[in-house]
Amino acid sequence: MKKYILISFIILSAINIYAKELSNQQKVVELLQKAFNTKQDRSVLKYINTKKYIQHNLYAQDGIEGLKGYLDYLKGQKIQNKVIRAFEDKNYVVAHSFVTQEDKNYKVIDIFRFENNLIVEHWDNTELVEDIEELKGEVKVIDKQKTLKNKQLVQAFIKTKILSADYLKNHMILGQGNFILAVNETYINNKRFSIYELFNIKNSKIYNSWSVKEEILPLNQWQNENGKF
């Protein structure tokens, strides 16, 4: 009996150590790929702060209960979420994913903010996509020592778009190494859009990029009051 208790204690200790050693990026990948699929493994919701979860997805209500309600809405649907590339910027994690939901394919970029190793805030953009070919390209983070320089390159590029009236405003720039994400707002045919542009930088130049554009819901359709940005 004592031997059984000792073995159980060792196993539980190992699980706890493993959970503590997971990086924020690994937590995000697990959350997206395990909770947002057909089986809905909700054990990964442990990575979210249950007392503080600020939701910017306007289709979901605020807080952890709002997230659970959104998962309830998706329950029974055939869903698969594959994270293609992800990176960390201090207490932020960005994930670029290919999602199949029933008979439709989507490209998605999620942003999660952490406090004390738990997720406390979430933003995302989702857009229909023909196939996964559109998401192909570099998947590994490289040139971490060039993060600041690459951010400045993208900032300058986005500034020219704002000056030329292509974009209304830049709300956020996040990056690690060769991957830099710009979160922008614009108007198209008198409708507001959120545009996430993920850039891959090589040799101090924009080598390629991926974008996800989503129309911002009218205010009377928002499920939370936090706004898109």
Side-chain angles (χ1 to χ4, degrees):
M1 183 66 178
K2 288 182 179 179
K3 185 178 179 181
Y4 174 78
I5 293 172
L6 179 61
I7 292 172
S8 298
F9 176 76
I10 291 172
I11 292 172
L12 288 172
S13 297
I15 291 171
N16 289 333
I17 291 170
Y18 170 75
K20 289 179 182 178
E21 288 182 347
L22 279 181
S23 68
N24 289 343
Q25 180 176 318
Q26 290 170 321
K27 292 173 185 176
V28 163
V29 172
E30 282 202 4
L31 174 68
L32 291 174
Q33 294 190 162
K34 291 185 177 181
F36 290 88
N37 67 16
T38 304
K39 293 182 179 179
Q40 285 198 9
D41 178 359
R42 299 195 185 190
S43 67
V44 290
L45 297 184
K46 64 186 176 185
Y47 302 136
I48 296 176
N49 188 321
T50 57
K51 296 181 180 179
K52 178 184 179 182
Y53 182 63
I54 304 166
Q55 179 65 265
H56 293 275
N57 181 325
L58 301 179
Y59 292 90
Q61 294 182 11
D62 207 21
I64 187 66
E65 293 305 318
L67 177 59
K68 289 178 180 178
Y70 188 71
L71 287 172
D72 288 341
Y73 162 74
L74 295 175
K75 201 168 184 178
Q77 297 187 41
K78 187 178 179 181
I79 300 174
Q80 185 176 13
N81 193 322
K82 173 63 177 176
V83 177
I84 306 299
R85 53 187 61 84
F87 64 85
E88 294 188 33
D89 184 344
K90 297 178 182 176
N91 59 327
Y92 290 85
V93 173
V94 174
H96 188 201
S97 307
F98 178 74
V99 178
T100 60
Q101 182 176 345
E102 296 298 343
D103 59 344
K104 294 180 180 179
N105 299 326
Y106 298 90
K107 50 183 177 179
V108 183
I109 294 180
D110 289 276
I111 303 170
F112 295 89
R113 184 172 68 85
F114 283 76
E115 288 180 3
N116 299 318
N117 299 314
L118 291 176
I119 298 168
V120 295
E121 196 163 9
H122 170 251
W123 302 257
D124 69 339
N125 252 24
T126 302
E127 185 180 3
L128 282 167
V129 64
E130 291 300 321
D131 57 53
I132 200 169
E133 293 293 317
E134 193 173 318
L135 280 70
K136 279 194 170 181
E138 187 72 58
V139 296
K140 272 186 73 175
V141 176
I142 58 174
D143 297 332
K144 291 183 180 180
Q145 75 281 6
K146 296 181 180 179
T147 299
L148 179 58
K149 185 178 179 181
N150 289 340
K151 277 187 176 183
Q152 292 170 340
L153 175 68
V154 170
Q155 284 174 332
F157 177 72
I158 296 299
K159 186 176 181 180
T160 63
K161 287 200 167 191
I162 293 172
L163 290 174
S164 65
D166 288 336
Y167 289 161
L168 176 67
K169 186 177 182 180
N170 170 257
H171 289 271
M172 197 183 307
I173 288 184
L174 298 170
Q176 185 181 38
N178 56 312
F179 291 136
I180 308 295
L181 174 70
V183 175
N184 307 301
E185 179 183 358
T186 191
Y187 276 98
I188 302 174
N189 297 326
N190 296 318
K191 294 180 180 180
R192 286 178 68 212
F193 284 85
S194 170
I195 298 180
Y196 286 19
E197 283 191 290
L198 179 57
F199 298 91
N200 180 26
I201 312 298
K202 285 187 179 182
N203 300 318
S204 301
K205 293 182 180 180
I206 295 173
Y207 182 76
N208 65 313
S209 64
W210 307 269
S211 68
V212 181
K213 180 177 69 177
E214 181 179 321
E215 183 178 349
I216 300 174
L217 285 174
L219 183 60
N220 62 358
Q221 295 180 31
W222 292 10
Q223 295 299 306
N224 62 70
E225 297 180 355
N226 300 315
K228 186 66 177 175
F229 304 102

